[in-house]
Amino acid sequence: MNADHEIFMHQAVDQAAKALANGEVPVGAIVVNNGHAIGTGFNQPVGRSDPTAHAEVIALRKAARHVGNYRLTGATVYVTIEPCLMCAGAMVHARIGTLVFGALEPRTGVVRSRMRVLDEAFQNHRVEVVEGVLEEQCRSMIQTFFADRRKSL
């Protein structure tokens, strides 16, 4: 396991904790370029009343502003949970080099679980995928969130 992957995934987990503290689904993301975090994000669709305010999209927006270009060629996105279709598509458009994620998302994940959208031949850009970094920690955080939510209903 790449030590940098674990270091940056810990930062993504810290972002997910911010989402949790705000009553959002605990997903966190970091965009890294040349060894430096250039964008961070945590889930905020409820708080922002914005269906696109996923952790990955927020982190990509911040990173793009940081570099002054929507293309983040070669950057790495670290995210605690396997991305949805919207977020995977945003990574393709941003020309992300590598996606590193923690836990699979069996209901809506499209990188490995429901489909393998980043592997499709029709994509005009390829994103390398690394899965399972801090997997248990990432999975536990989101499973606990949903278990607690079900108890409160």
Side-chain angles (χ1 to χ4, degrees):
M1 178 69 60
N2 181 325
D4 285 345
H5 287 343
E6 289 193 7
I7 289 167
F8 288 117
M9 188 60 78
H10 277 294
Q11 292 179 30
V13 168
D14 290 345
Q15 290 294 310
K18 291 179 182 181
L20 183 62
N22 286 287
E24 302 274 2
V25 176
V27 179
I30 306 286
V31 178
V32 174
N33 198 24
N34 296 319
H36 300 285
I38 60 170
T40 62
F42 59 90
N43 264 11
Q44 300 176 60
V46 175
R48 290 188 178 196
S49 298
D50 179 356
T52 70
H54 288 198
E56 301 96 319
V57 171
I58 291 169
L60 288 168
R61 287 175 180 161
K62 287 180 180 177
R65 281 193 300 273
H66 178 81
V67 301
N69 192 334
Y70 77 97
R71 290 209 170 153
L72 302 167
T73 305
T76 301
V77 172
Y78 292 85
V79 62
T80 55
I81 301 297
E82 178 184 9
C84 71
L85 188 58
M86 174 184 68
C87 294
M91 289 178 213
V92 169
H93 288 290
R95 304 300 192 265
I96 294 300
T98 305
L99 162 65
V100 179
F101 70 89
L104 293 169
E105 199 338 297
R107 294 180 57 118
T108 62
V110 299
V111 176
R112 293 292 180 256
S113 295
R114 303 301 292 177
M115 34 184 336
R116 296 176 75 94
V117 72
L118 296 178
D119 298 337
E120 292 291 335
F122 68 82
Q123 297 290 1
N124 63 343
H125 173 74
R126 295 283 175 256
V127 178
E128 178 186 352
V129 177
V130 177
E131 61 184 283
V133 176
L134 301 184
E135 180 177 9
E136 184 53 40
Q137 186 175 1
C138 295
R139 181 186 308 108
S140 176
M141 182 179 266
I142 202 156
Q143 285 179 338
T144 300
F145 171 82
F146 284 112
D148 289 348
R149 180 171 265 183
R150 283 189 297 275
K151 286 179 194 172
S152 67
L153 295 177

